[in-house]
Amino acid sequence: MIRDEETLTLLLDTIARFVRERLVPAEAEVARTDRIPEEIVAEMRRLGLFGLTIPEEYGGMGLTMEEEVRVYFEMGHTSPAFRSYFGTNCGIGSQAIVIDGTPEQKARYLPRLASGELIGSFALTEPGAGSDAASLRTTAVREGDCYVLNGTKRFITNAPEAGIFTVMARTDPAKKGADGISAFLVERDTPGLWVGPPDVKMGQRGAHTADVVFENCRVPAENLIGGREGQGFKTAMKVLDKGRIAIAATAVGVAERMLQDALRYACEREQFGKPIAEFQLVQTMLADSQAEIYAARCTVLDAARLRDAGENVNLQAACAKMFATEMCGRVADRAVQIHGGAGYMAEYGIERFYRDVRLFRIYEGTTQIQQLVIARNLIRSGKIYG
Ligand SMILES: Cc1cc2nc3c(=O)[nH]c(=O)nc-3n(C[C@H](O)[C@H](O)[C@H](O)COP(=O)(O)OP(=O)(O)OC[C@H]3O[C@@H](n4cnc5c(N)ncnc54)[C@H](O)[C@@H]3O)c2cc1C
């Protein structure tokens, strides 16, 4: 749903200019230093990017899902590390509070998340619980007016920078699956919370992940999200349904950038006396990429519109994430191929995108998990979507 076409166009134009003039020129430096310059972060704050999806009453822009994906199409035209930095605040770092938080939790945290003063992280994955997130072992035991948390969370995006963590932990050890899990808001300076050193990753330098360890970490009971035990896994899945559409949109945007770069190179590079774009085998790679990007874009927009209409988009979000991220991997591969040897060289940047986009098929549910979600929906309802 688009609330006001004119306002959205203005926002998209501003973001496109920011991407073109500030972020694209900084890509190589961010990759080299593994750090987004402070002045760029300050500009992100000024543009309101940290609060894209946070309701206006808490200082955000309150974008609908359709508006949000259109922003991410634009943001995808540069290194995904930039979007990861503020996008975590708009997505998994804030949405548990937006969707299921109490009025007090919303008032306490959302304004600072929206302004970018506070960075939010989402801590579900553990060393022994990735795809099977419902088997998580971190415990939260009620003691007086606190819960005492113990456990380790792994690969947590923005953990090194975060001031607030949404943490899924088991409050009822008698229940082994999802029902025994609750979600908590844990502030960074809470005694007993430790953040490990940043992980060394394949790509997306400038975006950081780390372990988050809880050792007898006492969290005030009022920080139980929604104020009810046993709801945490449901909250996490609602957050991920939304997050998957956002990742899919980013994958579409990055695929567009890679195809644009490949198209330019194919038109400029000459072999056998003519631009390589004139060879039909190269044209096949360009055409397949364009058609797949178009299909993914339509899928993402459809899922976003359905979510805005209040539908349960569990199936559509999984379809969008699976198709768009797998498509993005294929486009990355073809873009490297079209660049030939230059595609393998750091100087041309395309190998960096090739590494960066590999993550899209892994986090917020691997492709295999999306396939299971899609199949489960089909079997449960006995009918297909279409
Ligand atoms: C850079 C990065 C950032 C991340 N950020 C966050 C974050 O902010 N918060 C957070 O909580 N987590 C985060 N994660 C964790 C991420 O969500 C998990 O890595 C992901 O869900 C996969 O879990 P796993 O790594 O344990 O792999 P595993 O679950 O061990 O999977 C290994 C392989 O087995 C396959 N597999 C597993 N189960 C099945 C099955 N039933 N059927 C078929 N195949 C299966 C998987 O698809 C995969 O191919 C991040 C990960 C990375 C790499």
Side-chain angles (χ1 to χ4, degrees):
M1 179 180 54
I2 292 170
R3 296 162 303 166
D4 177 30
E5 194 68 61
E6 209 176 310
T7 313
L8 181 65
T9 305
L10 209 63
L11 175 68
L12 295 177
D13 287 349
T14 306
I15 289 173
R17 196 172 336 112
F18 180 55
V19 166
R20 199 171 53 244
E21 293 175 4
R22 298 291 290 129
L23 303 187
V24 172
E27 286 171 359
E29 184 199 338
V30 168
R32 188 173 47 77
T33 59
D34 194 18
R35 195 181 145 270
I36 300 176
E38 190 43 50
E39 57 275 18
I40 287 186
V41 174
E43 282 180 67
M44 288 174 175
R45 288 199 191 101
R46 269 201 300 280
L47 290 171
L49 297 182
F50 288 90
L52 291 173
T53 61
I54 294 175
E56 285 168 300
E57 59 190 300
Y58 298 107
M61 287 190 206
L63 296 191
T64 65
M65 192 80 232
E66 183 176 356
E67 293 167 342
E68 183 186 355
V69 299
R70 290 184 54 183
V71 167
Y72 290 160
F73 291 155
E74 289 300 331
M75 273 309 302
H77 295 166
T78 186
S79 298
F82 292 117
R83 193 216 65 100
S84 176
Y85 196 72
F86 68 81
T88 306
N89 265 34
C90 305
I92 57 177
S94 70
Q95 289 304 304
I97 312 176
V98 172
I99 297 171
D100 280 339
T102 62
E104 294 75 26
Q105 290 163 352
K106 290 179 185 184
R108 186 172 165 92
Y109 296 110
L110 291 181
R112 284 183 293 148
L113 284 164
S115 69
E117 176 195 334
L118 193 64
I119 297 294
S121 268
F122 177 83
L124 176 65
T125 305
E126 298 182 354
S131 298
D132 184 13
S135 69
L136 65 81
R137 292 214 186 130
T138 296
T139 54
V141 177
R142 180 87 192 227
E143 273 185 23
D145 56 1
C146 281
Y147 284 89
V148 182
L149 267 64
N150 280 286
T152 299
K153 296 293 180 179
R154 180 134 297 168
F155 306 149
I156 304 307
T157 299
N158 279 355
E161 293 84 11
I164 183 78
F165 296 86
T166 299
V167 181
M168 271 50 69
R170 194 167 293 285
T171 37
D172 187 346
K175 293 187 181 142
K176 294 286 172 233
D179 290 348
I181 296 171
S182 304
F184 296 89
L185 293 164
V186 187
E187 296 188 10
R188 168 65 166 249
D189 55 8
T190 312
L193 184 159
W194 311 99
V195 176
D199 299 315
V200 178
K201 313 196 300 322
M202 174 191 283
Q204 297 211 13
R205 284 171 63 80
H208 305 130
T209 63
D211 277 6
V212 183
V213 182
F214 302 94
E215 279 176 6
N216 294 324
C217 179
R218 298 179 74 84
V219 178
E222 72 238 30
N223 281 18
L224 171 66
I225 293 183
R228 280 171 61 209
E229 288 188 10
Q231 300 301 306
F233 197 76
K234 290 190 194 85
T235 297
M237 292 305 113
K238 284 185 255 180
V239 170
L240 288 178
D241 271 350
K242 183 173 191 298
R244 285 167 183 171
I245 303 175
I247 299 293
T250 309
V252 168
V254 185
E256 288 175 349
R257 161 68 185 273
M258 292 186 293
L259 180 57
Q260 187 64 61
D261 286 1
L263 175 63
R264 190 180 313 111
Y265 189 82
C267 292
E268 285 168 3
R269 170 76 177 165
E270 293 194 0
Q271 286 295 282
F272 300 96
K274 51 185 169 182
I276 60 168
E278 290 187 22
F279 300 123
Q280 289 181 342
L281 293 174
V282 173
Q283 289 175 1
T284 306
M285 290 192 272
L286 293 170
D288 286 354
S289 299
Q290 177 61 79
E292 290 190 50
I293 288 171
Y294 179 49
R297 196 178 236 269
C298 292
T299 309
V300 170
L301 282 167
D302 185 63
R305 287 177 188 136
L306 285 170
R307 188 178 187 280
D308 285 339
E311 305 265 335
N312 177 345
V313 291
N314 191 243
L315 174 136
Q316 292 84 354
C319 288
K321 204 242 175 202
M322 179 184 81
F323 184 71
T325 61
E326 291 286 330
M327 171 285 290
C328 191
R330 289 191 293 273
V331 171
D333 193 65
R334 292 183 199 122
V336 170
Q337 196 66 16
I338 289 170
H339 279 77
Y344 202 73
M345 300 296 157
E347 187 190 337
Y348 288 81
I350 204 75
E351 63 81 35
R352 190 182 66 236
F353 278 105
Y354 179 83
R355 288 183 286 107
D356 285 352
V357 303
R358 189 62 186 82
L359 176 61
F360 293 151
R361 293 150 64 189
I362 295 172
Y363 67 174
E364 300 205 20
T366 63
T367 290
Q368 290 70 38
I369 294 307
Q370 309 308 326
Q371 288 168 324
L372 296 183
V373 171
I374 297 164
R376 195 168 56 223
N377 274 280
L378 292 179
I379 294 162
R380 198 183 287 151
S381 70
K383 58 180 199 294
I384 64 156
Y385 172 69

